[in-house]
Amino acid sequence: ISLCLCLCFASHIEKHNSSVGVENILSTWSFKSVGLGTKITRLKITDYHVHCTVMSRYALTTVESTVWNQFHLTKEAAFEVDLPASAFISNFTITSGGKVYVAQVKERAAARKFYDAAKKHGKITEKFRVVVSMPPAIHMSFSISYEELLTRRLGRYELALGLRPGQPVQNLSVDITIAEQSGISFMKVLPLRTSRLLSTEAEVPPSTQVQQNPYCAHIHYSPTLEQQRNLSPKGLNADFVIQYDVELKDLMGDIQVLDGYFVHYFAPRALPVVSKDVIFVIDISGSMIGNKIKQTKAAMSTILDELREGDYFNLITFSDKVHTWKKGRTVQATKQNIQEAKEFVRKISAEGWTNINAALLSAAHLVNPSSSSSASHSLSPRRVPMIIFLTDGEATIGVTAQDAILHNAQSALGSVSLFGLAFGDDADFPLLKRLALENRGIARMVFEDADAALQLKGFYDEVASPLLSDIQLSYLEDQAYDVTRVLFPNYFQGSELVVTGKIKSGVQEMQVSLTANDSKQKLKVESKARLAKSKGNETATFLDCKGSLGGIYSFVQRLWAYFTIKELLLAKINSTDSLAQQLLAEKATNLSLKYNFVTPVTSLVVVKPDTDKYPTSISSIPTSPVTTTTESVMSTVTQTFSANPKTVSIAAFIKATKKIL
């Protein structure tokens, strides 16, 4: 009997763009056992360890957990994990009875053959969870590794590691190493985050130890059972969070080369802020009644107060009808105009249907000079045009077809950046992601919670201070090739642009040129970067992170693959040519297989050999078929193989994420 685990992405992921930023979803591991009746009992977790290495913003995280069936009966252990939305899984193993079963990354069609063969013989129950049927006295360990690039927002990187074992654990630890070649400018460990609401606590988690030098930091957290119970009798249910930033003094940023690959981190500081023409488009349909409209008003009042005097702005509200605060123009952010705008916001009320298409066209009419001659007088070539669009629903009146809305918006907006905010689970987030993707912006989810107003304000803060627009980073063809994206619509204060590529043999000095618009003029800068080539071990020694960077020495190469796969899949989404789509998918698949990444074009398969069988005493737990569907972006197919009443039943699950970064 063969037992296999297959984790694969739902096909509809290809409709979405995994590069659009949203809040990260953090790792979650929990175990519980289900007895023969309705009574739920807990299997004992003996070990729970999180190891994370960050090498120049590129993070490799491994979560390991061991569960023990301490009872005299067979128990089913339910296990689940949530991953950061931007991460790629790179390893998954199950260890039991001294044997290690390592998952293999396979092309989706090949993985599907495993699935179909097992299903044909009645060995599969699809679930979105892990179910491991464990005989008495059995220990079973799980280990998952995933890789991601940390995103710089508001002048800092944030690493958040989920700690949710579901019970106090005797051997629980978190070990983090952060190595930055350009130097760490600041680093702090935050209080444990038990919700998305801002914590009022100021102290780092008890038992946290921090060692730091200018280039490297080690953080160790190992709470005692008593400390865990003090937080909750049910054990930790929190995120361990670290924020830090790096030293970057050169306008052209930091270029690192390793093993024939380069990464260019571009995040200039101390540039003057560029004024903006910003249109706030607010959904006031009936579904916004209550807390949503109240929180939106609170956020807008604060945001309006923070507009700079050089900014121009306007407000649009929409339901089945569209209402513009100042007809045909944007107005300067003077004290009087801001006060009038706040009064306008105070009086809005929610009712009616949702005409997204009409609202978008009205906003384009105001801010894009190509769509309105009457708006031209208020626009300056040195102001950045942008639309911040908030909705909590789907298009229900007027033009409602997604393709038509997308086409109309792209035709009308031109060079305007559109930033979409989906308020709550009922919002059409896929549409907002496509709108943002095709119109120089990003999209985010705003969760219905007590801090929704803070979420809205936090997003605005990220885009409130444009420093450069229409950025192009160029590298000489005889020096670099297979370079990732080099054109960027905007660079905002506190963010970072990243380019990776391959570098030709023998290059000692790399020439980089920058063209962009700043607050006053078109900027053109050329720079030559001396390449300090080094092997992984030498780099580790230079950073004084001896022995702490195992498994991530080739991070620049893996980062190049990480970015390239995302861009290939994005190009596939945007292509209308079937042959081009096929070629792009093949390239993405080949790279995913080479680097062992679980991506939208690959699946994860674990095969348990026929010869390995558990004792026959586990026949007391039947498996009942369940089929689950999800609208998540990172959906997985979980397969439980029920061999026969005398054989163990194994299922595994990596819980779907609902967000895309």
Side-chain angles (χ1 to χ4, degrees):
I1 306 286
S2 288
L3 306 179
C4 92
L5 155 87
C6 177
L7 303 172
C8 57
F9 294 85
S11 60
H12 66 265
I13 189 171
E14 297 178 7
K15 299 178 183 177
H16 308 315
N17 168 31
S18 58
S19 68
V20 176
V22 295
E23 295 298 328
N24 280 350
I25 303 304
L26 309 172
S27 300
T28 305
W29 291 66
S30 63
F31 285 92
K32 66 180 180 181
S33 63
V34 183
L36 295 176
T38 57
K39 182 180 178 181
I40 295 178
T41 52
R42 296 275 175 181
L43 296 183
K44 185 175 180 61
I45 301 175
T46 60
D47 296 270
Y48 184 104
H49 303 291
V50 180
H51 307 272
C52 183
T53 300
V54 182
M55 184 74 167
S56 294
R57 294 77 140 175
Y58 192 69
L60 168 64
T61 302
T62 300
V63 185
E64 301 171 342
S65 192
T66 301
V67 62
W68 171 48
N69 182 0
Q70 73 273 32
F71 300 102
H72 298 296
L73 298 173
T74 296
K75 298 287 183 180
E76 282 195 348
F79 167 78
E80 59 187 30
V81 56
D82 289 349
L83 299 172
S86 61
F88 286 160
I89 302 163
S90 54
N91 185 59
F92 183 80
T93 61
I94 300 174
T95 304
S96 184
K99 296 183 179 180
V100 180
Y101 307 103
V102 182
Q104 302 173 38
V105 176
K106 293 184 176 291
E107 189 269 332
R108 286 186 64 183
R112 188 78 192 183
K113 290 179 181 178
F114 281 88
Y115 175 85
D116 291 339
K119 188 172 185 178
K120 184 177 180 181
H121 292 89
K123 300 173 186 176
I124 290 180
T125 301
E126 292 186 5
K127 297 183 180 181
F128 290 99
R129 59 187 313 200
V130 171
V131 178
V132 183
S133 187
M134 297 182 62
I138 286 291
H139 286 78
M140 189 169 288
S141 298
F142 298 84
S143 175
I144 190 168
S145 297
Y146 59 87
E147 302 176 30
E148 61 175 324
L149 179 71
L150 301 183
T151 302
R152 188 169 186 262
R153 292 176 182 155
L154 299 175
R156 60 182 180 267
Y157 306 93
E158 182 172 289
L159 174 69
L161 302 171
L163 302 175
R164 296 179 179 86
Q167 62 182 265
V169 180
Q170 180 70 49
N171 299 311
L172 185 150
S173 66
V174 177
D175 284 285
I176 302 167
T177 298
I178 299 173
E180 292 289 348
Q181 181 173 300
S182 56
I184 300 173
S185 61
F186 86 90
M187 191 206 72
K188 62 179 178 180
V189 180
L190 274 60
L192 287 178
R193 183 180 293 167
T194 55
S195 74
R196 287 180 293 100
L197 300 178
L198 296 178
S199 172
T200 56
E201 299 178 21
E203 296 183 358
V204 301
S207 82
T208 302
Q209 300 174 9
V210 179
Q211 295 179 318
Q212 185 177 354
N213 64 40
Y215 300 99
C216 186
H218 298 277
I219 302 95
H220 177 76
Y221 172 59
S222 184
T224 64
L225 286 171
E226 182 181 0
Q227 289 169 335
Q228 294 174 54
R229 291 189 181 105
N230 286 341
L231 290 166
S232 170
K234 296 180 180 179
L236 294 179
N237 181 17
D239 302 319
F240 189 86
V241 183
I242 292 174
Q243 293 179 346
Y244 77 96
D245 199 13
V246 299
E247 297 281 1
L248 275 185
K249 298 177 181 177
D250 191 329
L251 171 66
M252 295 300 287
D254 175 27
I255 298 177
Q256 299 183 28
V257 176
L258 187 63
D259 298 330
Y261 293 78
F262 79 90
V263 57
H264 182 186
Y265 297 107
F266 180 76
R269 274 73 155 166
L271 292 174
V273 174
V274 182
S275 297
K276 57 187 178 289
D277 273 283
V278 56
I279 310 297
F280 299 98
V281 185
I282 304 168
D283 184 346
I284 58 167
S285 60
S287 55
M288 288 284 289
I289 289 175
N291 278 336
K292 286 183 184 177
I293 198 70
K294 181 179 179 181
Q295 291 170 321
T296 300
K297 287 182 178 184
M300 281 305 307
S301 180
T302 304
I303 288 169
L304 288 169
D305 278 335
E306 295 190 3
L307 288 171
R308 296 178 177 87
E309 192 167 345
D311 293 335
Y312 280 66
F313 75 105
N314 206 333
L315 298 162
I316 290 176
T317 58
F318 73 98
S319 53
D320 46 314
K321 296 180 181 179
V322 178
H323 182 68
T324 303
W325 172 54
K326 295 290 186 181
K327 300 294 184 183
R329 63 195 176 100
T330 55
V331 298
Q332 189 173 2
T334 62
K335 290 183 179 179
Q336 181 177 346
N337 283 335
I338 289 172
Q339 191 58 40
E340 290 179 9
K342 290 170 71 174
E343 184 63 18
F344 171 80
V345 169
R346 188 185 67 80
K347 292 180 179 179
I348 62 177
S349 59
E351 62 178 353
W353 300 86
T354 308
N355 196 334
I356 288 176
N357 184 74
L360 287 169
L361 295 183
S362 295
H365 179 81
L366 286 175
V367 77
N368 189 356
S370 64
S371 67
S372 170
S373 58
S374 64
S376 300
H377 71 277
S378 68
L379 293 174
S380 161
R382 300 305 172 197
R383 289 205 296 272
V384 175
M386 62 174 66
I387 294 170
I388 298 179
F389 188 94
L390 180 145
T391 181
D392 76 329
E394 301 178 346
T396 57
I397 196 170
V399 177
T400 58
Q402 281 202 7
D403 289 343
I405 294 172
L406 290 164
H407 173 76
N408 293 342
Q410 193 168 36
S411 299
L413 290 174
S415 62
V416 177
S417 293
L418 173 69
F419 301 95
L421 291 169
F423 199 159
D425 293 336
D426 294 330
D428 193 346
F429 191 41
L431 173 62
L432 288 184
K433 287 198 298 286
R434 288 295 301 276
L435 282 167
L437 169 65
E438 295 177 6
N439 295 284
R440 301 161 56 97
I442 58 176
R444 294 274 176 84
M445 284 289 298
V446 176
F447 301 97
E448 293 184 57
D449 210 334
D451 70 337
L454 290 175
Q455 294 177 58
L456 291 168
K457 173 62 168 57
F459 175 80
Y460 172 76
D461 288 344
E462 291 185 39
V463 299
S465 302
L467 302 183
L468 298 172
S469 61
D470 297 318
I471 304 110
Q472 179 171 358
L473 294 164
S474 302
Y475 312 86
L476 295 180
E477 290 184 2
D478 61 350
Q479 294 182 339
Y481 63 105
D482 285 350
V483 178
T484 59
R485 177 188 181 191
V486 295
L487 298 173
F488 303 91
N490 297 295
Y491 168 69
F492 296 101
Q493 184 171 283
S495 65
E496 182 172 71
L497 307 179
V498 182
V499 179
T500 69
K502 299 177 183 177
I503 196 157
K504 293 190 176 180
S505 178
V507 175
Q508 302 295 321
E509 198 174 57
M510 191 170 182
Q511 183 168 322
V512 184
S513 62
L514 162 72
T515 59
N517 293 322
D518 66 6
S519 60
K520 296 181 180 179
Q521 61 188 348
K522 191 169 185 66
L523 189 68
K524 186 170 183 179
V525 179
E526 292 187 355
S527 177
K528 291 184 178 180
R530 184 73 183 172
L531 305 182
K533 300 182 181 180
S534 57
K535 298 292 183 183
N537 288 334
E538 295 170 0
T539 303
T541 302
F542 171 75
L543 295 172
D544 196 22
C545 292
K546 304 163 188 173
S548 302
L549 303 175
I552 202 169
Y553 290 138
S554 58
F555 83 95
V556 181
Q557 183 176 351
R558 298 188 68 80
L559 178 54
W560 172 82
Y562 174 94
F563 263 104
T564 303
I565 292 167
K566 287 179 178 288
E567 292 184 0
L568 287 168
L569 294 173
L570 179 57
K572 178 178 179 291
I573 294 171
N574 291 335
S575 175
T576 56
D577 183 271
S578 58
L579 179 58
Q581 290 177 339
Q582 181 180 346
L583 292 173
L584 290 165
E586 288 177 358
K587 288 183 178 180
T589 299
N590 292 336
L591 272 180
S592 299
L593 295 174
K594 180 178 179 179
Y595 290 93
N596 212 55
F597 284 147
V598 182
T599 71
V601 290
T602 56
S603 301
L604 197 61
V605 178
V606 177
V607 178
K608 185 175 184 300
D610 294 343
T611 54
D612 296 328
K613 293 184 179 179
Y614 284 95
T616 60
S617 60
I618 64 163
S619 58
S620 57
I621 303 295
T623 304
S624 55
V626 176
T627 301
T628 307
T629 59
T630 180
E631 289 300 320
S632 60
V633 193
M634 210 176 191
S635 304
T636 61
V637 178
T638 304
Q639 299 148 17
T640 306
F641 298 85
S642 303
N644 58 55
K646 301 287 186 179
T647 308
V648 69
S649 169
I650 295 182
F653 163 66
I654 295 184
K655 189 178 181 182
T657 63
K658 294 184 178 179
K659 318 292 184 299
I660 298 178
L661 182 45

